[in-house]
Amino acid sequence: MRILQPVRGTQDLLPEAARRHRRITETAREVAALYGFGEIATPIFEFTEVFARPIGETSDIVSKEMYSFVDRGGDEITLRPEYTAGLVRAVLSDGLLQNAPLKFFCHGPMFRYERPQKGRFRQFHQIDVELIGVAQPQADIEVIALGSRILEALGVRHNTVLELNTLGDPESRAAYRDALVTYFSRRLSELSEDSRRRLERNPLRIFDSKEESDRRVSLEAPAFGDYLNAGSRDFFAQVCDGLDLLGIPYRLNPRLVRGLDYYIHTAFEFVTSDLGAQGTVIGGGRYDGLVEMMGGPATPGIGWAAGVERLAMLIPEPAGPPRPIALVPVGPAGERAALRLAEELRDAAVPVDLGYSGNLARRMRRANRIGARAAVLIGDDEIARGVAGLRDLDSGAQSDVPLDELRSRLATLVG
Protein backbone atom coordinates (compact mmCIF):
# COMPACT_ATOMS: atom_id res chain seq x y z
CA MET A 1 0.00 0.00 0.00
CA ARG A 2 1.45 3.36 -1.02
CA ILE A 3 2.29 6.00 1.56
CA LEU A 4 -0.06 8.97 1.36
CA GLN A 5 1.56 12.29 0.43
CA PRO A 6 0.62 15.95 1.10
CA VAL A 7 -1.26 17.89 -1.55
CA ARG A 8 1.01 19.72 -3.97
CA GLY A 9 1.72 23.24 -2.78
CA THR A 10 1.24 22.40 0.91
CA GLN A 11 3.80 21.54 3.54
CA ASP A 12 4.01 20.04 7.00
CA LEU A 13 5.38 22.43 9.59
CA LEU A 14 7.82 20.21 11.45
CA PRO A 15 9.16 21.44 14.82
CA GLU A 16 11.97 23.62 13.42
CA ALA A 17 9.69 25.28 10.85
CA ALA A 18 6.95 25.66 13.46
CA ARG A 19 9.42 27.49 15.72
CA ARG A 20 10.21 29.93 12.90
CA HIS A 21 6.51 30.57 12.26
CA ARG A 22 5.85 31.05 15.96
CA ARG A 23 8.77 33.46 16.28
CA ILE A 24 7.34 35.60 13.48
CA THR A 25 3.73 35.65 14.66
CA GLU A 26 4.58 36.22 18.33
CA THR A 27 7.02 39.02 17.48
CA ALA A 28 4.48 40.67 15.20
CA ARG A 29 1.75 40.38 17.85
CA GLU A 30 3.95 41.98 20.51
CA VAL A 31 5.06 44.85 18.29
CA ALA A 32 1.52 45.44 17.00
CA ALA A 33 0.36 45.74 20.61
CA LEU A 34 2.86 48.60 21.12
CA TYR A 35 0.95 50.50 18.43
CA GLY A 36 -2.45 49.73 19.93
CA PHE A 37 -3.47 47.02 17.43
CA GLY A 38 -5.74 44.39 18.97
CA GLU A 39 -5.75 40.81 17.76
CA ILE A 40 -8.73 39.54 15.78
CA ALA A 41 -9.47 36.26 13.98
CA THR A 42 -11.94 35.68 11.16
CA PRO A 43 -13.14 32.37 9.67
CA ILE A 44 -10.87 30.52 7.26
CA PHE A 45 -13.78 30.31 4.81
CA GLU A 46 -16.37 32.92 3.84
CA PHE A 47 -19.20 33.26 1.36
CA THR A 48 -17.55 33.58 -2.04
CA GLU A 49 -19.06 37.04 -2.52
CA VAL A 50 -16.91 38.40 0.32
CA PHE A 51 -13.84 38.00 -1.90
CA ALA A 52 -15.37 38.10 -5.39
CA ARG A 53 -17.05 41.48 -4.91
CA PRO A 54 -13.99 43.53 -3.89
CA ILE A 55 -11.35 41.59 -5.82
CA GLY A 56 -13.42 41.37 -9.02
CA GLU A 57 -15.01 38.40 -10.79
CA THR A 58 -12.61 38.70 -13.75
CA SER A 59 -9.39 39.04 -11.74
CA ASP A 60 -6.86 36.20 -11.77
CA ILE A 61 -7.36 35.62 -8.04
CA VAL A 62 -11.09 35.03 -8.42
CA SER A 63 -11.13 33.33 -11.81
CA LYS A 64 -8.02 31.15 -11.44
CA GLU A 65 -6.69 31.00 -7.91
CA MET A 66 -9.50 30.83 -5.34
CA TYR A 67 -10.46 27.54 -3.71
CA SER A 68 -14.25 27.76 -4.04
CA PHE A 69 -16.93 25.12 -3.64
CA VAL A 70 -20.63 24.64 -2.97
CA ASP A 71 -21.21 23.23 0.50
CA ARG A 72 -23.89 20.74 1.53
CA GLY A 73 -26.34 23.54 2.19
CA GLY A 74 -25.93 24.87 -1.35
CA ASP A 75 -23.92 27.96 -0.34
CA GLU A 76 -20.96 29.12 -2.42
CA ILE A 77 -17.97 29.08 -0.08
CA THR A 78 -14.33 30.14 -0.59
CA LEU A 79 -11.21 29.46 1.46
CA ARG A 80 -9.79 32.90 2.14
CA PRO A 81 -7.12 34.02 -0.37
CA GLU A 82 -6.29 37.14 1.67
CA TYR A 83 -7.27 38.72 4.98
CA THR A 84 -8.51 42.26 4.28
CA ALA A 85 -11.89 41.49 2.71
CA GLY A 86 -12.87 39.08 5.49
CA LEU A 87 -11.79 41.52 8.14
CA VAL A 88 -13.82 44.35 6.59
CA ARG A 89 -16.79 41.97 6.43
CA ALA A 90 -16.33 41.32 10.16
CA VAL A 91 -16.19 45.06 10.89
CA LEU A 92 -19.48 45.57 9.07
CA SER A 93 -21.39 42.48 10.20
CA ASP A 94 -20.30 42.93 13.84
CA GLY A 95 -21.17 46.64 13.84
CA LEU A 96 -17.69 47.83 14.76
CA LEU A 97 -17.52 50.99 12.67
CA GLN A 98 -19.17 53.02 15.42
CA ASN A 99 -15.95 52.54 17.39
CA ALA A 100 -13.63 53.77 14.63
CA PRO A 101 -10.75 54.24 14.33
CA LEU A 102 -10.13 50.50 14.46
CA LYS A 103 -6.70 48.87 14.70
CA PHE A 104 -6.46 45.13 14.09
CA PHE A 105 -3.69 42.53 13.95
CA CYS A 106 -4.35 39.01 12.67
CA HIS A 107 -2.53 35.98 11.33
CA GLY A 108 -3.37 32.63 9.81
CA PRO A 109 -3.42 30.44 6.70
CA MET A 110 -4.50 31.61 3.23
CA PHE A 111 -5.25 29.54 0.14
CA ARG A 112 -4.53 30.21 -3.53
CA TYR A 113 -4.18 27.82 -6.43
CA GLU A 114 -0.82 29.06 -7.73
CA ARG A 115 2.23 27.40 -9.22
CA PRO A 116 4.29 26.33 -6.19
CA GLN A 117 7.82 27.70 -6.03
CA LYS A 118 10.31 28.96 -3.47
CA GLY A 119 8.43 31.01 -0.90
CA ARG A 120 5.05 30.43 -2.59
CA PHE A 121 2.59 27.73 -1.54
CA ARG A 122 -1.06 26.95 -2.15
CA GLN A 123 -1.62 27.01 1.58
CA PHE A 124 0.48 29.81 3.01
CA HIS A 125 0.44 31.99 6.10
CA GLN A 126 0.26 35.73 6.61
CA ILE A 127 0.43 38.29 9.34
CA ASP A 128 -1.82 41.23 8.65
CA VAL A 129 -2.54 44.68 10.10
CA GLU A 130 -5.41 47.02 9.24
CA LEU A 131 -6.19 50.56 10.39
CA ILE A 132 -9.75 51.55 9.51
CA GLY A 133 -11.36 54.94 9.89
CA VAL A 134 -8.43 57.37 9.56
CA ALA A 135 -8.20 59.49 6.41
CA GLN A 136 -5.10 61.44 7.40
CA PRO A 137 -1.60 60.47 6.17
CA GLN A 138 -0.58 59.79 9.79
CA ALA A 139 -2.29 56.41 9.43
CA ASP A 140 -0.11 55.54 6.44
CA ILE A 141 3.01 56.55 8.34
CA GLU A 142 2.03 54.51 11.40
CA VAL A 143 1.28 51.22 9.62
CA ILE A 144 4.53 51.51 7.63
CA ALA A 145 6.44 52.25 10.84
CA LEU A 146 4.82 49.21 12.43
CA GLY A 147 5.95 47.00 9.56
CA SER A 148 9.47 48.40 9.75
CA ARG A 149 9.64 47.80 13.50
CA ILE A 150 8.47 44.18 13.14
CA LEU A 151 11.19 43.53 10.55
CA GLU A 152 13.70 45.18 12.88
CA ALA A 153 12.57 43.00 15.79
CA LEU A 154 12.97 39.92 13.60
CA GLY A 155 16.49 40.97 12.66
CA VAL A 156 15.81 41.31 8.92
CA ARG A 157 15.13 45.02 8.38
CA HIS A 158 18.67 45.53 7.04
CA ASN A 159 17.93 42.91 4.36
CA THR A 160 14.91 44.81 3.03
CA VAL A 161 14.15 48.03 1.18
CA LEU A 162 10.92 49.98 1.62
CA GLU A 163 9.54 50.89 -1.82
CA LEU A 164 6.96 53.65 -1.91
CA ASN A 165 4.57 55.12 -4.45
CA THR A 166 1.32 57.07 -4.65
CA LEU A 167 -1.74 56.09 -6.63
CA GLY A 168 -3.32 59.52 -6.08
CA ASP A 169 -6.96 60.18 -5.36
CA PRO A 170 -9.79 58.81 -7.56
CA GLU A 171 -9.61 61.82 -9.88
CA SER A 172 -5.85 61.38 -10.45
CA ARG A 173 -6.19 57.64 -10.83
CA ALA A 174 -8.91 58.02 -13.47
CA ALA A 175 -6.77 60.46 -15.45
CA TYR A 176 -3.81 58.11 -15.30
CA ARG A 177 -5.94 55.14 -16.33
CA ASP A 178 -7.04 57.01 -19.48
CA ALA A 179 -3.42 57.81 -20.28
CA LEU A 180 -2.41 54.16 -19.89
CA VAL A 181 -5.24 52.94 -22.13
CA THR A 182 -4.13 55.37 -24.83
CA TYR A 183 -0.46 54.38 -24.52
CA PHE A 184 -0.88 50.59 -24.32
CA SER A 185 -3.49 50.60 -27.09
CA ARG A 186 -0.86 52.02 -29.46
CA ARG A 187 1.44 49.09 -28.60
CA LEU A 188 -1.19 46.40 -28.36
CA SER A 189 0.64 43.98 -30.67
CA GLU A 190 3.63 43.92 -28.28
CA LEU A 191 1.58 42.91 -25.23
CA SER A 192 0.96 39.37 -24.00
CA GLU A 193 -2.53 37.91 -24.24
CA ASP A 194 -3.04 38.36 -20.48
CA SER A 195 -2.06 42.02 -20.64
CA ARG A 196 -4.40 42.65 -23.55
CA ARG A 197 -7.23 41.43 -21.34
CA ARG A 198 -5.94 43.57 -18.48
CA LEU A 199 -5.98 46.61 -20.76
CA GLU A 200 -9.74 46.29 -21.07
CA ARG A 201 -10.39 45.70 -17.36
CA ASN A 202 -7.58 47.36 -15.42
CA PRO A 203 -4.51 48.63 -17.27
CA LEU A 204 -2.55 49.25 -14.06
CA ARG A 205 -2.19 45.49 -13.64
CA ILE A 206 -0.04 45.34 -16.78
CA PHE A 207 2.77 46.61 -14.55
CA ASP A 208 2.49 43.37 -12.52
CA SER A 209 3.20 41.18 -15.57
CA LYS A 210 6.27 38.94 -15.52
CA GLU A 211 6.34 38.66 -19.33
CA GLU A 212 9.47 40.25 -20.77
CA SER A 213 7.56 41.88 -23.64
CA ASP A 214 5.13 43.49 -21.19
CA ARG A 215 7.96 44.71 -18.99
CA ARG A 216 9.71 46.25 -21.98
CA VAL A 217 6.59 48.12 -23.08
CA SER A 218 5.84 49.21 -19.49
CA LEU A 219 9.21 50.93 -19.18
CA GLU A 220 8.09 53.65 -21.58
CA ALA A 221 4.57 54.04 -20.17
CA PRO A 222 3.47 57.40 -18.77
CA ALA A 223 4.50 58.07 -15.18
CA PHE A 224 1.77 58.27 -12.53
CA GLY A 225 3.38 61.38 -11.06
CA ASP A 226 2.51 63.39 -14.17
CA TYR A 227 -1.21 62.93 -13.50
CA LEU A 228 -1.39 63.71 -9.80
CA ASN A 229 -3.47 66.67 -8.74
CA ALA A 230 -2.36 69.08 -6.01
CA GLY A 231 -4.25 67.26 -3.24
CA SER A 232 -2.65 63.93 -4.11
CA ARG A 233 0.83 65.45 -4.23
CA ASP A 234 0.34 67.06 -0.84
CA PHE A 235 -0.93 63.80 0.74
CA PHE A 236 2.09 61.88 -0.53
CA ALA A 237 4.48 64.62 0.57
CA GLN A 238 3.11 64.36 4.11
CA VAL A 239 3.65 60.59 4.11
CA CYS A 240 7.24 61.02 2.92
CA ASP A 241 7.89 63.78 5.46
CA GLY A 242 6.59 61.58 8.27
CA LEU A 243 8.84 58.69 7.28
CA ASP A 244 11.79 61.07 7.06
CA LEU A 245 10.95 62.37 10.54
CA LEU A 246 10.99 58.81 11.92
CA GLY A 247 14.23 57.97 10.15
CA ILE A 248 12.62 55.22 8.03
CA PRO A 249 14.48 55.07 4.70
CA TYR A 250 12.55 54.38 1.50
CA ARG A 251 12.98 54.24 -2.25
CA LEU A 252 10.42 55.75 -4.61
CA ASN A 253 9.12 53.24 -7.16
CA PRO A 254 6.74 54.83 -9.69
CA ARG A 255 5.88 51.37 -11.10
CA LEU A 256 4.57 50.07 -7.79
CA VAL A 257 0.79 49.89 -8.25
CA ARG A 258 -2.35 48.24 -6.92
CA GLY A 259 -4.72 47.09 -9.62
CA LEU A 260 -7.99 47.18 -7.68
CA ASP A 261 -10.03 50.37 -7.94
CA TYR A 262 -10.58 50.86 -4.22
CA TYR A 263 -6.85 51.46 -3.63
CA ILE A 264 -5.80 55.12 -3.57
CA HIS A 265 -2.86 57.21 -2.39
CA THR A 266 -0.09 55.26 -0.65
CA ALA A 267 1.18 51.93 -1.96
CA PHE A 268 4.26 50.32 -0.41
CA GLU A 269 6.30 47.15 -0.21
CA PHE A 270 9.24 45.94 1.84
CA VAL A 271 11.32 43.91 -0.61
CA THR A 272 14.48 41.84 -0.39
CA SER A 273 16.94 40.50 -2.94
CA ASP A 274 17.66 37.44 -0.78
CA LEU A 275 14.68 35.40 -1.98
CA GLY A 276 14.96 35.62 -5.76
CA ALA A 277 11.79 36.39 -7.68
CA GLN A 278 9.57 36.19 -4.57
CA GLY A 279 11.16 39.26 -2.99
CA THR A 280 8.17 41.03 -1.43
CA VAL A 281 7.92 40.29 2.30
CA ILE A 282 5.37 43.00 3.21
CA GLY A 283 2.93 44.63 0.82
CA GLY A 284 0.18 47.12 1.51
CA GLY A 285 -1.66 50.28 0.67
CA ARG A 286 -4.58 52.60 1.34
CA TYR A 287 -8.02 51.25 0.39
CA ASP A 288 -10.49 54.05 1.07
CA GLY A 289 -13.11 52.59 -1.27
CA LEU A 290 -13.27 49.04 0.07
CA VAL A 291 -15.68 49.42 2.99
CA GLU A 292 -18.21 51.17 0.76
CA MET A 293 -17.80 48.51 -1.93
CA MET A 294 -18.68 45.86 0.66
CA GLY A 295 -21.91 47.57 1.66
CA GLY A 296 -20.79 49.96 4.37
CA PRO A 297 -20.48 53.73 4.48
CA ALA A 298 -17.54 55.50 2.84
CA THR A 299 -14.69 54.75 5.25
CA PRO A 300 -10.93 55.13 4.84
CA GLY A 301 -8.57 52.27 5.54
CA ILE A 302 -4.98 51.20 5.16
CA GLY A 303 -3.12 48.00 5.94
CA TRP A 304 -0.56 45.45 4.88
CA ALA A 305 0.09 41.73 4.81
CA ALA A 306 3.36 39.84 5.21
CA GLY A 307 4.20 36.33 4.06
CA VAL A 308 5.27 34.18 7.00
CA GLU A 309 6.95 31.57 4.80
CA ARG A 310 9.11 34.22 3.15
CA LEU A 311 10.04 35.85 6.44
CA ALA A 312 10.85 32.40 7.84
CA MET A 313 13.56 32.02 5.19
CA LEU A 314 15.17 35.29 6.29
CA ILE A 315 15.15 35.22 10.08
CA PRO A 316 17.95 33.72 12.19
CA GLU A 317 17.36 30.27 13.61
CA PRO A 318 15.15 30.70 16.72
CA ALA A 319 16.28 29.14 19.97
CA GLY A 320 14.91 25.66 20.43
CA PRO A 321 12.95 24.50 23.47
CA PRO A 322 14.84 23.74 26.71
CA ARG A 323 16.58 20.39 26.68
CA PRO A 324 14.42 17.89 28.53
CA ILE A 325 15.25 15.57 31.36
CA ALA A 326 14.94 11.90 30.37
CA LEU A 327 13.19 9.90 33.09
CA VAL A 328 14.33 6.27 32.86
CA PRO A 329 12.39 3.82 35.06
CA VAL A 330 13.74 0.36 35.80
CA GLY A 331 11.24 -2.37 36.66
CA PRO A 332 7.51 -2.22 37.53
CA ALA A 333 8.00 -0.25 40.74
CA GLY A 334 10.21 2.19 38.88
CA GLU A 335 7.51 2.66 36.24
CA ARG A 336 4.96 3.69 38.85
CA ALA A 337 7.39 5.95 40.68
CA ALA A 338 8.54 7.57 37.45
CA LEU A 339 4.96 8.33 36.37
CA ARG A 340 4.35 10.32 39.55
CA LEU A 341 7.83 11.88 39.57
CA ALA A 342 7.39 13.12 36.00
CA GLU A 343 4.31 15.13 36.97
CA GLU A 344 6.02 16.54 40.08
CA LEU A 345 8.94 17.73 37.96
CA ARG A 346 6.62 19.27 35.40
CA ASP A 347 4.86 21.09 38.22
CA ALA A 348 8.26 22.67 38.88
CA ALA A 349 8.52 23.67 35.17
CA VAL A 350 11.15 21.02 34.43
CA PRO A 351 10.59 19.53 30.92
CA VAL A 352 10.48 15.75 31.14
CA ASP A 353 10.58 13.00 28.53
CA LEU A 354 9.24 9.80 30.06
CA GLY A 355 10.36 6.61 28.37
CA TYR A 356 7.45 4.30 27.66
CA SER A 357 9.10 0.96 27.00
CA GLY A 358 12.35 -0.86 26.34
CA ASN A 359 15.32 -1.93 28.41
CA LEU A 360 17.76 0.47 30.06
CA ALA A 361 20.11 0.63 27.07
CA ARG A 362 17.28 1.40 24.64
CA ARG A 363 15.89 4.14 26.86
CA MET A 364 19.32 5.72 27.25
CA ARG A 365 19.76 5.71 23.47
CA ARG A 366 16.49 7.63 23.20
CA ALA A 367 17.69 10.11 25.81
CA ASN A 368 20.75 10.84 23.70
CA ARG A 369 18.72 10.98 20.49
CA ILE A 370 16.37 13.67 21.81
CA GLY A 371 19.26 15.74 23.19
CA ALA A 372 18.29 15.34 26.83
CA ARG A 373 20.32 17.37 29.32
CA ALA A 374 20.36 14.60 31.90
CA ALA A 375 18.85 11.22 32.65
CA VAL A 376 17.12 10.29 35.90
CA LEU A 377 17.20 6.57 36.67
CA ILE A 378 14.82 5.14 39.23
CA GLY A 379 14.22 1.51 40.14
CA ASP A 380 13.68 -0.77 43.14
CA ASP A 381 17.07 -0.03 44.69
CA GLU A 382 16.73 3.76 44.30
CA ILE A 383 13.18 3.73 45.69
CA ALA A 384 14.32 1.76 48.75
CA ARG A 385 17.08 4.32 49.43
CA GLY A 386 14.92 7.38 48.67
CA VAL A 387 17.19 8.55 45.88
CA ALA A 388 17.35 8.74 42.08
CA GLY A 389 20.34 8.19 39.85
CA LEU A 390 21.22 11.44 38.05
CA ARG A 391 23.44 11.14 34.98
CA ASP A 392 24.74 14.33 33.38
CA LEU A 393 24.60 13.49 29.67
CA ASP A 394 27.08 16.23 28.78
CA SER A 395 29.84 15.23 31.19
CA GLY A 396 28.87 11.59 31.78
CA ALA A 397 29.08 12.04 35.56
CA GLN A 398 26.52 10.13 37.62
CA SER A 399 25.52 10.44 41.25
CA ASP A 400 22.67 9.57 43.57
CA VAL A 401 20.45 12.52 44.53
CA PRO A 402 17.88 12.44 47.34
CA LEU A 403 14.39 12.62 45.89
CA ASP A 404 13.52 15.73 47.90
CA GLU A 405 16.50 17.55 46.30
CA LEU A 406 15.93 16.31 42.78
CA ARG A 407 13.68 19.14 41.59
CA SER A 408 16.11 21.88 42.59
CA ARG A 409 19.09 20.05 41.04
CA LEU A 410 17.24 19.52 37.76
CA ALA A 411 15.93 23.09 37.65
CA THR A 412 19.55 24.25 37.80
CA LEU A 413 20.54 21.92 34.97
CA VAL A 414 17.79 22.98 32.57
CA GLY A 415 17.76 26.65 33.56
Side-chain angles (χ1 to χ4, degrees):
M1 184 179 294
R2 68 182 178 86
I3 297 176
L4 298 176
Q5 299 297 319
V7 175
R8 184 168 183 255
T10 66
Q11 60 172 341
D12 299 310
L13 291 179
L14 302 181
E16 180 182 344
R19 282 199 300 273
R20 287 178 172 270
H21 278 232
R22 185 169 60 251
R23 163 77 172 139
I24 292 164
T25 56
E26 291 181 352
T27 298
R29 180 188 294 110
E30 291 170 3
V31 175
L34 294 177
Y35 286 73
F37 284 71
E39 187 166 2
I40 189 173
T42 62
I44 289 178
F45 57 87
E46 301 266 5
F47 291 119
T48 298
E49 185 184 14
V50 169
F51 305 112
R53 186 191 297 181
I55 298 175
E57 297 281 0
T58 58
S59 69
D60 286 350
I61 294 176
V62 174
S63 63
K64 299 179 181 180
E65 298 173 4
M66 291 202 322
Y67 281 91
S68 299
F69 58 95
V70 177
D71 71 6
R72 295 183 179 184
D75 292 317
E76 294 186 8
I77 301 297
T78 293
L79 301 179
R80 65 186 178 204
E82 54 93 37
Y83 233 127
T84 307
L87 190 143
V88 170
R89 190 276 309 150
V91 165
L92 294 175
S93 60
D94 293 326
L96 303 181
L97 274 183
Q98 59 185 336
N99 299 318
L102 303 167
K103 294 180 171 183
F104 292 123
F105 163 81
C106 43
H107 69 90
M110 311 291 152
F111 305 85
R112 291 190 189 183
Y113 189 84
E114 298 184 293
R115 182 169 63 86
Q117 52 188 292
K118 181 181 179 181
R120 174 180 287 178
F121 298 90
R122 291 175 176 173
Q123 176 180 319
F124 57 99
H125 299 78
Q126 288 185 343
I127 53 177
D128 185 279
V129 301
E130 310 291 347
L131 202 171
I132 296 172
V134 180
Q136 292 81 7
Q138 286 86 343
D140 308 50
I141 298 164
E142 185 169 54
V143 297
I144 293 173
L146 169 54
S148 181
R149 188 180 290 265
I150 289 173
L151 295 178
E152 189 71 45
L154 290 171
V156 300
R157 180 66 176 93
H158 66 285
N159 290 351
T160 66
V161 174
L162 169 60
E163 293 192 342
L164 193 66
N165 193 27
T166 176
L167 307 178
D169 61 12
E171 177 186 272
S172 301
R173 187 181 175 105
Y176 185 54
R177 185 187 190 284
D178 291 343
L180 287 184
V181 170
T182 299
Y183 170 75
F184 284 123
S185 294
R186 290 201 304 264
R187 304 187 65 171
L188 193 63
S189 62
E190 302 174 62
L191 297 177
S192 68
E193 185 177 343
D194 278 346
S195 287
R196 291 178 191 176
R197 288 196 297 268
R198 288 169 177 162
L199 178 59
E200 298 174 4
R201 299 194 299 262
N202 199 326
L204 269 72
R205 296 202 60 240
I206 295 176
F207 291 120
D208 294 331
S209 173
K210 302 298 187 290
E211 295 290 338
E212 186 58 39
S213 60
D214 295 334
R215 288 173 174 260
R216 186 172 57 251
V217 174
S218 295
L219 287 175
E220 300 176 19
F224 212 143
D226 296 337
Y227 296 84
L228 295 175
N229 57 27
S232 296
R233 293 179 189 276
D234 179 64
F235 190 100
F236 191 53
Q238 290 186 61
V239 173
C240 294
D241 288 346
L243 295 176
D244 292 337
L245 180 66
L246 298 180
I248 299 175
Y250 56 87
R251 178 174 65 200
L252 297 179
N253 179 359
R255 301 304 184 199
L256 176 60
V257 299
R258 295 287 179 264
L260 301 175
D261 289 340
Y262 53 76
Y263 280 102
I264 67 170
H265 290 305
T266 313
F268 60 92
E269 290 181 354
F270 288 87
V271 299
T272 180
S273 59
D274 293 353
L275 298 178
Q278 304 302 318
T280 300
V281 293
I282 291 180
R286 177 169 280 276
Y287 50 81
D288 286 5
L290 177 57
V291 176
E292 189 173 12
M293 180 178 289
M294 295 191 67
T299 306
I302 184 168
W304 56 253
V308 175
E309 280 78 6
R310 295 181 190 180
L311 286 171
M313 292 188 287
L314 295 176
I315 67 172
E317 175 67 28
R323 294 169 64 188
I325 299 300
L327 197 50
V328 182
V330 180
E335 296 277 0
R336 290 179 57 83
L339 190 63
R340 184 174 58 199
L341 180 59
E343 289 303 300
E344 292 174 354
L345 293 174
R346 289 163 181 155
D347 287 342
V350 176
V352 173
D353 182 87
L354 177 60
Y356 297 112
S357 62
N359 57 27
L360 177 62
R362 181 176 178 182
R363 296 190 189 202
M364 291 303 299
R365 285 196 298 270
R366 172 175 170 79
N368 287 315
R369 188 170 66 251
I370 64 174
R373 177 64 182 84
V376 173
L377 294 83
I378 187 164
D380 291 345
D381 179 59
E382 288 81 10
I383 294 171
R385 294 187 290 124
V387 301
L390 177 60
R391 182 180 301 179
D392 187 319
L393 295 181
D394 288 350
S395 67
Q398 181 167 332
S399 60
D400 287 341
V401 177
L403 290 175
D404 58 1
E405 298 178 12
L406 186 61
R407 281 189 289 184
S408 59
R409 287 283 297 275
L410 292 178
T412 301
L413 279 178
V414 299

